[in-house]
């Protein structure tokens, strides 16, 4: 018996022919994935499915904008990925997109934070705190207060253990737990987080109807350009000012600064729509990059928020006004240069300061410290410098005279020049008048910087300051009034002066 009947004959057709002997169609050869992509691109129209919100409770849909958002991530902006599509608004209506966000690291962190806010006792920290007895809780309160002092006074974290040991030596019970700089840093972060949440709650509250933004540039210890942003609002009828954030500026132009302000505002949980609806005023210094009407931060804000009012900081305007007034009087320019020369001579030379103090000890007069003249906050620093010149006048003249005779070259010539300018009746009278003048302006500057000031108070302060300055024309100020006792003939503080 033949075994061939148990085997079917092989087809003579190759893989490219079907059972009928014909070539298969091109469409049947096309990969399934390509057909699916073409269908997605040309025929299928995706939309939001309400049933998704039952499976993903954090999902919310804006019917007006036709965008999906993550409610949890928007409630926790400091932990969320602010560049995520579900934070900004997602229009990819695919379940896969939702599932991907649901498993993302930033979303899971936001979920944990939200649970901790809603049920703090269920968190690991909450359970740990529940086990702490009353005495340990009191110790933690003292440690937190000490950490707050370190942060408030800008003391190095490394000083925290020493402060704790000092308190323990004075009888304060602290134990040895958490007595290190790392714990101090954690305490400060915790307090900052609580304060940031409080600020967010106040700024987003319904009764906080209007906001003003205050911004100024600065540099940190690493000479990195930063922008410090404050927000001002009314709380129970009283103005409140809160620091929002210090942000690194990526670019020093107006667009970069405005981006930094936006980042700071977003960092406390204020959405762009809420921010633009509440902000009514912006306060900057007089730099062109800030106040420029076209390409400055002010101009860009006006185009974005047409109703916003831009103000030039009144305290800064006062400084500029005083400097402009001095430039119009030639003698005041000479007087200003003499004051600067004295301060430069002693501020940068410990040896000269030591010699000046020795002369003050010999004539039994206390020598005031010659601190550096500030380019910012010029009015208050100038008042301190003028009072230091008045206090140290006799000792300074004696020291300059000694330098002019005992030294040679440039130092001796400089000392003779300063001494010649100071030993005139005109300089002495101007010194006392400028002390009275600067005292009035310093009080005006302090009034402009008062925490509780309203814009309506500015006019009152200006009117009061103006009347006081006009009064100086006819009635001598306190410093000018005592000049008659100090100036006798050609002697002032027992120093010969010339016309």
């Amino acid at each position: 018996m033949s075994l061939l009947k148990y085997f079917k004959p092989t087809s003579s057709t190759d893989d490219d022919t079907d059972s009928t002997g014909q070539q298969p169609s091109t469409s049947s050869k096309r990969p399934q994935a390509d057909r699916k992509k073409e269908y997605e691109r040309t025929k299928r129209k995706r939309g939001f499915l309400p049933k998704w919100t039952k499976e993903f409770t954090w999902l919310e849909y804006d019917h007006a904008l036709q965008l999906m958002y993550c409610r949890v991530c928007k409630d926790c902006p400091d932990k969320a990925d602010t560049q995520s599509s579900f934070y900004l608004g997602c229009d990819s209506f695919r379940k896969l997109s939702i599932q991907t966000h649901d498993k993302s690291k930033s979303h899971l962190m936001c979920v944990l934070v939200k649970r901790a806010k809603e049920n703090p006792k269920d968190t690991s920290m909450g359970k740990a705190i529940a086990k702490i007895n009353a005495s340990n809780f009191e110790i933690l309160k003292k440690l937190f207060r000490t950490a707050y002092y370190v942060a408030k006074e800008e003391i190095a974290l490394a000083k925290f253990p020493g402060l704790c040991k000092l308190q323990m030596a004075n009888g304060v019970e602290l134990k040895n737990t958490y007595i290190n700089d790392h714990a101090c840093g954690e305490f400060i972060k915790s307090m900052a987080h609580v304060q940031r949440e409080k600020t967010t709650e106040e700024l987003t509250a319904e009764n906080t109807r209007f906001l003003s933004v205050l911004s100024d540039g600065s540099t940190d210890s690493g000479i990195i350009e930063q922008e410090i942003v404050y927000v001002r609002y009314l709380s129970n009828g009283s103005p409140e000012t809160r620091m929002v954030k210090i942000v690194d500026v990526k670019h020093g132009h107006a667009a970069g600064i405005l981006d930094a302000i936006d980042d700071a505002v977003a960092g406390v949980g204020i959405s762009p729509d809420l921010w633009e609806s509440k902000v009514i005023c912006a306060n900057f210094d007089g730099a062109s990059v800030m106040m420029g009407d076209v390409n400055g931060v002010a101009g860009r804000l006006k185009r974005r928020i047409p109703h916003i009012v831009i103000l030039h900081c009144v305290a800064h305007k006062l400084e500029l006004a005083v400097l402009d007034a001095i430039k119009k009087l030639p003698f005041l320019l000479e007087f200003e240069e003499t004051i600067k020369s004295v301060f430069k001579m002693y501020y940068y030379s410990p040896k000269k300061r030591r010699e000046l103090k020795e002369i003050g000890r010999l004539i039994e007069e206390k020598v005031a410290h010659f601190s550096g003249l500030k380019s910012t906050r010029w009015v208050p620093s100038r008042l301190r410098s003028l009072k230091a010149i008045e206090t140290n006048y006799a000792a300074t003249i004696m020291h300059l005279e000694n330098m002019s005779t005992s030294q040679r070259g440039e130092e001796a010539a400089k000392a003779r020049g300063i001494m010649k300018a100071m030993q005139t009746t005109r300089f002495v009278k101007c010194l006392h008048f400028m002390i009275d003048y600067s005292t009035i302006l310093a009080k005006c500057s302090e009034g402009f910087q008062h925490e509780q000031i309203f814009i309506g108070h500015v006019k009152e302060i200006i009117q009061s300051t103006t009347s006081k300055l006009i009064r100086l024309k006819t009635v001598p100020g306190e410093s000018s009034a005592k000049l008659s006792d100090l100036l006798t003939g050609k002697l002032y503080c027992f120093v010969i002066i010339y016309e």
Side-chain angles (χ1 to χ4, degrees):
M1 179 183 293
S2 175
L3 297 177
L4 293 177
K5 66 178 182 177
Y6 294 102
F7 299 92
K8 292 183 179 181
T10 58
S11 174
S12 61
T13 60
D14 57 17
D15 292 338
D16 293 334
T17 60
D18 56 16
S19 59
T20 61
Q22 298 178 349
Q23 293 288 334
S25 63
T26 306
S27 60
S28 64
K29 290 178 60 181
R30 181 180 300 166
Q32 183 71 16
D34 290 347
R35 293 200 300 272
K36 187 174 181 180
K37 288 181 180 178
E38 183 179 356
Y39 173 73
E40 288 281 349
R41 184 175 65 257
T42 60
K43 297 181 180 180
R44 186 167 185 174
K45 293 184 179 180
R46 292 184 177 272
F48 180 78
L49 299 181
K51 66 179 183 180
W52 288 341
T53 57
K54 296 180 180 180
E55 183 178 354
F56 305 96
T57 56
W58 49 264
L59 186 65
E60 62 180 7
Y61 179 65
D62 189 324
H63 292 275
L65 299 176
Q66 296 185 354
L67 295 173
M68 297 185 296
Y69 293 94
C70 175
R71 187 185 301 107
V72 175
C73 289
K74 291 183 73 67
D75 289 343
C76 306
D78 53 335
K79 298 294 182 182
D81 179 7
T82 55
Q83 301 302 317
S84 167
S85 59
F86 279 86
Y87 186 89
L88 302 172
C90 179
D91 60 357
S92 177
F93 301 111
R94 299 170 62 93
K95 190 173 182 180
L96 179 61
S97 301
I98 303 173
Q99 291 172 336
T100 301
H101 179 76
D102 187 58
K103 297 177 182 179
S104 66
K105 185 177 179 180
S106 60
H107 173 77
L108 294 176
M109 178 61 71
C110 292
V111 171
L112 292 176
V113 172
K114 187 173 180 62
R115 288 176 183 172
K117 290 180 180 179
E118 295 174 349
N119 300 297
K121 293 182 179 180
D122 295 338
T123 63
S124 57
M125 180 63 73
K127 293 176 182 178
I129 292 176
K131 296 179 181 179
I132 299 176
N133 56 35
S135 62
N136 286 339
F137 188 73
E138 288 297 320
I139 291 174
L140 277 177
K141 285 171 63 176
K142 295 169 185 175
L143 291 172
F144 266 86
R145 291 193 189 105
T146 306
Y148 177 82
Y149 175 80
V150 169
K152 186 72 175 178
E153 298 298 323
E154 300 180 4
I155 301 173
L157 299 184
K159 301 292 184 181
F160 178 75
L163 289 172
C164 292
K165 291 176 182 178
L166 174 62
Q167 294 179 76
M168 293 167 68
N170 289 331
V172 179
E173 183 182 359
L174 290 179
K175 296 186 178 180
N176 290 319
T177 310
Y178 304 119
I179 310 296
N180 55 73
D181 55 348
H182 177 74
C184 180
E186 292 300 318
F187 292 154
I188 293 172
K189 288 180 183 177
S190 299
M191 289 184 285
H193 180 71
V194 172
Q195 185 60 45
R196 192 177 297 113
E197 287 186 335
K198 182 181 177 182
T199 300
T200 301
E201 183 179 348
E202 292 176 350
L203 296 181
T204 56
E206 292 184 4
N207 60 347
T208 305
R209 298 173 57 195
F210 305 114
L211 302 174
S212 294
V213 60
L214 299 87
S215 177
D216 196 11
S218 64
T219 54
D220 64 3
S221 58
I223 320 298
I224 297 175
E225 187 175 2
Q226 296 178 318
E227 195 72 16
I228 182 169
V229 181
Y230 290 85
V231 171
R232 190 172 174 85
Y233 61 98
L234 284 180
S235 177
N236 299 322
S238 299
E240 296 286 345
T241 306
R242 293 282 184 269
M243 190 192 78
V244 174
K245 199 173 184 181
I246 300 177
V247 189
D248 291 341
V249 179
K250 296 180 181 178
H251 303 284
H253 49 61
I257 295 174
L258 188 56
D259 288 341
I261 295 174
D262 291 337
D263 290 345
V265 172
V268 290
I270 304 178
S271 65
D273 293 338
L274 183 63
W275 170 247
E276 294 180 7
S277 65
K278 285 191 174 188
V279 67
I280 60 170
C281 180
N283 195 330
F284 307 125
D285 62 15
S288 59
V289 70
M290 302 299 294
M291 296 296 293
D293 292 333
V294 180
N295 294 320
V297 175
R300 293 170 183 269
L301 273 177
K302 286 287 279 185
R303 288 194 292 272
R304 184 196 298 180
I305 311 171
H307 64 264
I308 195 170
V309 177
I310 307 296
L311 292 180
H312 184 177
C313 172
V314 288
H316 187 258
K317 289 183 76 172
L318 174 65
E319 307 280 347
L320 297 178
V322 173
L323 291 174
D324 288 343
I326 288 177
K327 291 177 183 178
K328 294 183 179 180
L329 299 172
F331 177 73
L332 282 183
L333 288 175
E334 296 176 13
F335 180 83
E336 168 77 7
E337 287 302 317
T338 302
I339 297 295
K340 287 182 179 179
S341 298
V342 173
F343 272 75
K344 287 180 181 179
M345 177 172 288
Y346 291 103
Y347 183 72
Y348 295 106
S349 175
K351 178 185 176 183
K352 291 185 178 68
R353 291 200 302 271
R354 185 173 62 251
E355 292 172 350
L356 184 67
K357 288 181 179 180
E358 182 63 23
I359 292 175
R361 187 183 64 80
L362 293 174
I363 63 177
E364 298 182 349
E365 286 188 4
K366 186 177 180 180
V367 175
H369 178 59
F370 283 119
S371 59
L373 279 169
K374 303 290 190 300
S375 57
T376 58
R377 295 187 180 272
W378 183 86
V379 170
S381 70
R382 179 175 181 78
L383 177 59
R384 290 191 296 270
S385 67
L386 293 173
K387 288 184 175 180
I389 292 287
E390 180 197 12
T391 303
N392 302 342
Y393 185 85
T396 302
I397 294 296
M398 292 179 185
H399 184 243
L400 291 172
E401 186 176 6
N402 180 63
M403 287 179 59
S404 64
T405 56
S406 62
Q407 296 186 14
R408 296 181 180 179
E410 185 178 351
E411 284 293 321
K414 188 182 296 184
R416 283 192 294 270
I418 296 174
M419 185 173 62
K420 181 179 179 180
M422 292 179 66
Q423 279 188 276
T424 62
T425 306
R426 196 177 186 185
F427 179 90
V428 172
K429 289 181 178 180
C430 185
L431 174 63
H432 284 266
F433 170 77
M434 289 301 292
I435 290 176
D436 292 328
Y437 170 78
S438 300
T439 300
I440 296 172
L441 293 181
K443 290 181 179 179
C444 177
S445 180
E446 290 173 2
F448 286 158
Q449 299 175 62
H450 196 277
E451 188 174 354
Q452 298 295 323
I453 190 174
F454 278 105
I455 191 169
H457 295 156
V458 173
K459 186 176 180 180
E460 297 176 6
I461 295 173
I462 292 175
Q463 290 176 342
S464 174
T465 302
T466 303
S467 64
K468 290 177 182 178
L469 291 174
I470 293 174
R471 192 169 183 269
L472 287 179
K473 291 182 177 181
T474 55
V475 181
E478 182 181 349
S479 183
S480 297
K482 71 178 184 180
L483 178 61
S484 57
D485 297 330
L486 299 173
L487 184 60
T488 56
K490 292 187 177 181
L491 291 178
Y492 173 73
C493 295
F494 306 103
V495 175
I496 299 176
I497 60 173
Y498 306 95
E499 294 296 333

